[in-house]
Amino acid sequence: MRLILVGPPGAGKGTQAVHLAAHYQIPHISTGDIFRANLKNGTELGKQAQSFMDRGELVPDSVTNEMVKDRLGNPDAAKGFLLDGFPRNTNQAQVLDQILVEKKMPLDAALELKIDHAEIIKRLSGRRTCRGCGASSHVEFEKPKVAGVCDKCGGQLYQREDDKEEVLNRRLEIYAQQTEPIISFYNSKGLLKNISAVGSVETITKAAISALGK
Ligand code: AMP
């Protein structure tokens, strides 16, 4: 299975990606997670990405496309992959196409997670992320057993800078302007599937698997 997930910030791409990657036994490749890991480790790539991420802007394509091309060259991607957070504009979608043609690894589907604006704001303003493992929880809808502590690894929970209101609004604007057009790009290729991203995590995973097939 070679799959990309598309949807606005807060649609639950990261959460669904973990379940779908486990189901299809494929690596979960999240460009946001790769950037955050690089930031945390103080790498050159992290330094290049930081100012864009802090403002909710896209990291330039030249940096992001190279990083994804590299990652897809890892041996584990030969058995399939799930891309989460990439592509995010039409240039990235076209570059991905070229990479996959070169590697003779055609995409099976682009899965769109659909959700409305009010629900996104509700989810993201209360989202907390683990400094240790990157897992998400929510101060109201998915409370950790101990406040401020990750259920999965015991790490410290924090609010991502880019989940704060001002930056969040910019991310949503960028999604509408730059990312939404890739939905028609994949639709025209006959690869688009879409499901509602509202409901329990389990229900949404089931809907995704039924849309994608075994
Ligand atoms: P995410 O965790 O997917 O919301 O990504 C967090 C931030 O990382 C984004 O707001 C961007 O600054 C950066 N980022 C992640 N994926 C991409 C991408 N495909 N292209 C450009 N920037 C990205």
Side-chain angles (χ1 to χ4, degrees), residues 12 23 28 32 51 62 71 87 95 107 113 118 132-133 141 145 155 168 170 194 202 204-205 209:
H23 179 84
H28 166 204
S51 65
S62 53
R71 179 62 187 85
V95 169
L107 210 57
L113 300 182
C133 69
F141 311 124
K145 292 193 187 84
L168 177 56
R170 180 68 187 134
N194 52 46
E202 224 185 12
I204 299 165
T205 308
I209 292 168

Side-chain angles (χ1 to χ4, degrees), residues 31-32 35-36 52-53 56-59 64 85-86 88 92 160 162 171:
T31 43
F35 283 132
R36 277 185 291 279
F52 298 97
M53 294 177 76
E57 305 283 334
L58 296 185
V59 177
T64 309
F86 183 94
R88 253 183 161 92
Q92 292 182 3
R160 277 171 46 177
D162 59 354
R171 287 165 69 207

Side-chain angles (χ1 to χ4, degrees), residues 24-136:
Y24 292 111
Q25 301 196 316
I26 49 178
H28 166 204
I29 303 175
S30 154
T31 43
D33 284 352
I34 300 176
F35 283 132
R36 277 185 291 279
N38 277 276
L39 272 184
K40 189 167 146 189
N41 297 326
T43 68
E44 197 45 49
L45 179 65
K47 284 178 195 147
Q48 283 178 319
Q50 177 148 34
S51 65
F52 298 97
M53 294 177 76
D54 285 350
R55 284 179 283 130
E57 305 283 334
L58 296 185
V59 177
D61 289 350
S62 53
V63 175
T64 309
N65 290 341
E66 261 322 288
M67 180 178 92
V68 170
K69 186 170 182 188
D70 243 42
R71 179 62 187 85
L72 289 175
N74 278 13
D76 65 346
K79 61 178 179 183
F81 55 79
L82 188 166
L83 277 172
D84 160 15
F86 183 94
R88 253 183 161 92
N89 61 29
T90 43
N91 172 265
Q92 292 182 3
Q94 281 156 357
V95 169
L96 177 64
D97 244 23
Q98 284 162 14
I99 297 172
L100 297 181
V101 167
E102 275 166 30
K103 292 187 184 295
K104 300 192 172 58
M105 305 196 310
L107 210 57
D108 292 301
L111 180 69
E112 181 195 3
L113 300 182
K114 290 175 93 75
I115 179 171
D116 70 31
H117 193 86
E119 180 70 23
I120 294 174
I121 301 292
K122 206 163 74 180
R123 286 187 185 185
L124 287 190
S125 52
R127 176 161 83 172
R128 296 295 179 267
T129 302
C130 175
R131 284 198 196 281
C133 69
S136 300

Side-chain angles (χ1 to χ4, degrees), residues 12 16 98 143 149 159:
Q16 288 306 322
Q98 284 162 14
K143 283 187 184 173
V149 179
Q159 182 174 33

Side-chain angles (χ1 to χ4, degrees), residues 164-177:
K164 294 181 180 163
E165 195 177 340
E166 199 177 312
V167 183
L168 177 56
N169 287 335
R170 180 68 187 134
R171 287 165 69 207
L172 291 172
E173 213 173 85
I174 290 191
Y175 180 79
Q177 289 166 355

